[in-house]
Amino acid sequence: FPAWQCPAGSYHVNAEHVIIELLDEENRPVKPGELGRVVATTLENYLAPLIRYDLNDYALALEGACSCGRTLPVIGRVVGRSINLFRLRDGRIFLPWRLYDHLHGLDNVRQLQLVQRALDHFIVRYVRDEPLAPEVEASIRKNIADSLGGEVTIELDKVDEIARTKRGKFMAALCEIAPQES
């Protein structure tokens, strides 16, 4: 990533080497406090420069200087890769980690994964010896649907194992819709 985190928590952009932009889905700069796609332009690679290269990461735009005193440009926390963020019908990006609040306290669940299949279709995959009680499933469906703005399908899928990526990474949240669908 073309920035580094200081002890104050901001990410300082290596402005001597790269220009970082945080853009919305229409390629406009986002306002402070908003999430934006991280787009980079390299300043030193003359043979094969990267110009407005989309890193597939999302970060929070900040305004002003960092409290640590360094004067490099700053961005806020990097919230995730586009493949791990959900999209809502109104075009907003939704951080799926907030949905895990509705899943804490489930007994004997060894793995959980949240998946978005469409703008209005979500799956909770879980690894557990026994199926969830119907009232627990109903509660999960209601709470997640409420968090996502209602009018969505929440499917619970008990599986034997949740596969890792080819590189061995576990994806706790996965968006399976193409960016142009959002």
Side-chain angles (χ1 to χ4, degrees), residues 14 33 35-36 45 98 101-102 104 121 143 148 164 182:
N14 295 319
L35 285 179
N45 188 347
R98 295 172 18 195
D101 292 343
H102 305 301
H104 290 296
H121 185 192
N143 292 333
L148 293 168
R164 295 181 177 267
S182 59

Side-chain angles (χ1 to χ4, degrees), residues 82-83 85-88 115-122 174-182:
S82 61
I83 194 169
L85 302 175
F86 293 167
R87 280 109 181 112
L88 300 179
V115 180
Q116 182 178 22
R117 282 272 165 86
L119 291 176
D120 61 351
H121 185 192
F122 299 84
L174 180 62
C175 180
E176 294 181 342
I177 60 175
Q180 62 268 21
E181 290 181 50
S182 59

